[in-house]
Amino acid sequence: MVKASSASVIFISVILIPLLAAVIFYHLDTFDPAPLPEHELTQKDQFFFVPKKNSHMLLGSERIGYGELPGPEDIAYDPKTGVVYTGCEDGWIRRVTLSDSAADSVVEKWVNTGGRPLGLAHGLHGDVIVADGHKGLLNISKDGVIELLTDEADGLKFKLTDAVDIGRDGTLYFTDASYAYGVHHSVLDLLEGRPRGRLLAYDPSTKQTRVLLKGLYFANGVAVSADQTFVIVCETPMRRCIKYYIQGSRKGSVDVFVENLPGLPDNIRYDGQGLYWVALFTDSHFFEVLQRYPLVRKVAAMMVKYATRPNTDKNAGTIAVDLEGKPVAHYYDVGASQITTGIKIREHLYFGSLAASYIIRLNITQYPAESPPA
């Protein structure tokens, strides 16, 4: 009788009460994930084939600026000076003078924005354009003077200015990933599943900001096409990149550039040699479950808000696609996570990451992506 009573107490205190508390807590929490539009998601039977792969990209890779680059989110290369610029989580934009030896690369603090510098692009006059997650779209002169270009459009303040690229005419194309969540809570936007992102354009001559597209799902990386006829923007939770036409007979229309990616796309970079490099923050396996079940997304959101973010990030890397969006090569590694940028500079790939305190460099001549054996 005593043993049965003790077992009942243990069951009630250890299992039943925590379970009831969790159920009540779940229903009281106001976080309300929305179903993602299944009709817009690529059918699961459409296999994403990449002809060449390197599934162990960390093997043979080097660490540039180890311990000196906290969370280097994006990378902008200045071919005139051979210097790389990257924005870090402490607000500093750092300059890295590259060397043949990773250990001999020199890191220096350049400008602190007082926010969270994310996307970077080189301007037409020696300046650096910064998409700052907290501040908005910034221009930094070659002398380090910061100017706020814009932080709102159509009466709506930017909440998470994310990525930027520049057209040949000087127009700045950039994204506001979400008007509801800022940098520190961006994962909640992904989990909530509502289209709160925008693609925008800023004209330096008129100082006017225009909304080109709204209703995007976490509008992330952006790149002007090689022929300047469209702008590519990545929608992270939809695992796709779309293109918005800015010239020609299709001006103002939208089409898919690449979809059904094997991971969550972040920044996208054009290498000037016919390839776009789409960074993949993590693979898509866990997120496919989240896509299907809003209940699971709410549980994950509660863990983020009240405990810790589940560590499911793996197989991050970058996908190279051609001018038509067809996949060419995939570089990734099970040990790589939260890769935000992949950029090709000569024979190397450089990777930015929120999870690292350095830039990853891989010589793709020595460690190429290869076709699988027949």
Side-chain angles (χ1 to χ4, degrees):
M1 186 73 175
V2 174
K3 289 183 179 179
S5 177
S6 298
S8 298
V9 171
I10 292 173
F11 174 77
I12 292 172
S13 60
V14 176
I15 299 177
L16 187 58
I17 291 178
L19 181 61
L20 288 173
V23 171
I24 293 171
F25 194 45
Y26 176 90
H27 286 287
L28 288 177
D29 192 272
T30 57
F31 187 82
D32 183 26
L36 287 167
E38 285 291 335
H39 64 283
E40 291 190 35
L41 297 174
T42 303
Q43 297 299 315
K44 302 304 178 186
D45 59 357
Q46 293 185 12
F47 179 67
F48 189 88
F49 175 72
V50 186
K52 296 183 178 181
K53 296 181 180 181
N54 177 343
S55 60
H56 302 284
M57 73 175 200
L58 294 183
L59 294 179
S61 67
E62 304 170 278
R63 297 176 176 182
I64 304 291
Y66 183 81
E68 298 183 77
L69 300 169
E73 202 272 349
D74 195 12
I75 297 169
Y77 174 64
D78 183 357
K80 296 178 182 177
T81 61
V83 171
V84 157
Y85 291 72
T86 186
C88 299
E89 66 182 4
D90 57 3
W92 280 99
I93 296 175
R94 288 172 167 85
R95 296 193 291 202
V96 184
T97 303
L98 301 176
S99 173
D100 291 339
S101 168
D104 293 335
S105 297
V106 178
V107 177
E108 63 172 322
K109 292 179 177 179
W110 182 47
V111 174
N112 194 308
T113 67
R116 195 350 174 164
L118 297 172
L120 304 175
H122 285 287
L124 302 182
H125 308 290
D127 45 351
V128 175
I129 311 300
V130 181
D132 189 294
H134 297 315
K135 301 289 187 176
L137 192 66
L138 309 177
N139 182 91
I140 304 180
S141 71
K142 56 186 177 183
D143 298 322
V145 178
I146 300 175
E147 176 190 1
L148 174 64
L149 299 178
T150 178
D151 62 358
E152 66 176 297
D154 290 351
L156 189 62
K157 284 277 189 178
F158 307 152
K159 196 76 172 183
L160 209 174
T161 319
D162 200 323
V164 63
D165 198 9
I166 183 169
R168 289 183 195 144
D169 63 355
T171 302
L172 306 178
Y173 298 94
F174 66 104
T175 53
D176 181 29
S178 169
Y179 62 74
Y181 293 97
V183 173
H184 298 305
H185 300 100
S186 57
V187 67
L188 295 179
D189 189 273
L190 295 172
L191 293 172
E192 190 168 329
R194 286 185 166 82
R196 293 178 167 135
R198 296 185 290 176
L199 172 66
L200 307 106
Y202 177 81
D203 186 339
S205 63
T206 63
K207 302 187 184 301
Q208 297 297 308
T209 305
R210 293 180 294 123
V211 177
L212 302 180
L213 286 175
K214 57 185 178 180
L216 300 176
Y217 288 88
F218 203 86
N220 206 322
V222 61
V224 182
S225 67
D227 63 3
Q228 304 288 297
T229 60
F230 57 85
V231 178
I232 305 167
V233 58
C234 300
E235 288 186 282
T236 299
M238 301 300 286
R239 292 165 38 218
R240 71 184 179 194
C241 303
I242 60 175
K243 51 186 178 181
Y244 174 85
Y245 286 88
I246 55 175
Q247 299 288 342
S249 60
R250 299 194 62 186
K251 183 177 180 179
S253 64
V254 179
D255 201 355
V256 172
F257 180 65
V258 60
E259 62 183 341
N260 200 31
L261 289 163
L264 305 188
D266 204 292
N267 284 310
I268 178 171
R269 287 284 189 174
Y270 180 61
D271 65 6
Q273 298 176 316
L275 294 178
Y276 296 95
W277 296 84
V278 183
L280 298 181
F281 190 83
T282 180
D283 67 20
S284 61
H285 295 133
F286 180 66
F287 200 79
E288 286 180 19
V289 176
L290 296 178
Q291 281 181 323
R292 291 194 294 269
Y293 304 110
L295 184 148
V296 179
R297 277 189 273 135
K298 180 165 183 174
V299 171
M302 291 176 67
M303 293 179 68
V304 170
K305 291 166 67 175
Y306 305 113
T308 184
R309 178 175 177 267
N311 184 15
T312 61
D313 303 327
K314 58 184 175 59
N315 288 317
T318 186
I319 288 264
V321 299
D322 65 17
L323 298 178
E324 303 300 321
K326 296 178 180 177
V328 174
H330 186 188
Y331 291 82
Y332 62 103
D333 196 292
V334 69
S337 67
Q338 300 185 19
I339 296 293
T340 48
T341 296
I343 180 173
K344 183 176 179 290
I345 304 172
R346 294 190 294 274
E347 72 273 16
H348 289 97
L349 277 178
Y350 291 79
F351 298 92
S353 168
L354 296 184
S357 60
Y358 49 85
I359 291 172
I360 301 168
R361 180 169 74 178
L362 179 69
N363 188 315
I364 59 175
T365 300
Q366 296 178 358
Y367 303 95
E370 297 179 326
S371 302

